[in-house]
Amino acid sequence: MHILLEALADDAARRRHGNEPLREALQALGGPVGDLELEPHDAARERRWRLDRLAPGAPGTDARLSAAVYALAAAILVLPTVLLVVPWLDRAMHSWPL
């Protein structure tokens, strides 16, 4: 799931600053692209995928897909909390002496 959240952050940064500044920032944070062999396999693959998405000529993102991923992330964070807290609050409020 973290790669989807990273992709959404990349998309927001792309809309605000453009492809090239974001691509340069990702390369600067991760070191030269030639150092991909020194990174763990999953990290190298993830970094390559993120850089490929920002390459000139890469397709843009679909706003509906971004909205769906945001909604899914919110549901994953909020629903378990609501399912645990609401019954507890209901019981606590009924047993509170007023």
Side-chain angles (χ1 to χ4, degrees):
M1 173 131 168
H2 81 279
I3 188 69
L4 291 176
L5 295 175
E6 291 290 339
L8 286 172
D10 290 348
D11 293 342
R14 177 195 297 179
R15 284 190 294 274
R16 179 170 279 200
H17 301 288
N19 277 353
E20 279 309 305
L22 179 58
R23 189 172 168 81
E24 291 170 8
L26 285 174
Q27 287 175 344
L29 287 173
V33 177
D35 288 348
L36 287 176
E37 294 81 30
L38 302 177
E39 294 183 35
H41 180 65
D42 289 340
R45 186 174 38 167
E46 177 183 319
R47 186 164 163 235
R48 173 56 54 201
W49 179 77
R50 289 177 70 191
L51 289 171
D52 287 346
R53 288 184 70 235
L54 299 171
T61 59
D62 184 13
R64 292 175 295 174
L65 178 62
S66 295
V69 173
Y70 276 122
L72 177 64
I76 288 172
L77 293 173
V78 171
L79 284 178
T81 304
V82 169
L83 291 174
L84 291 174
V85 171
V86 168
W88 177 81
L89 276 176
D90 185 45
R91 274 184 258 140
M93 294 304 286
H94 285 298
S95 60
W96 203 24
L98 288 179

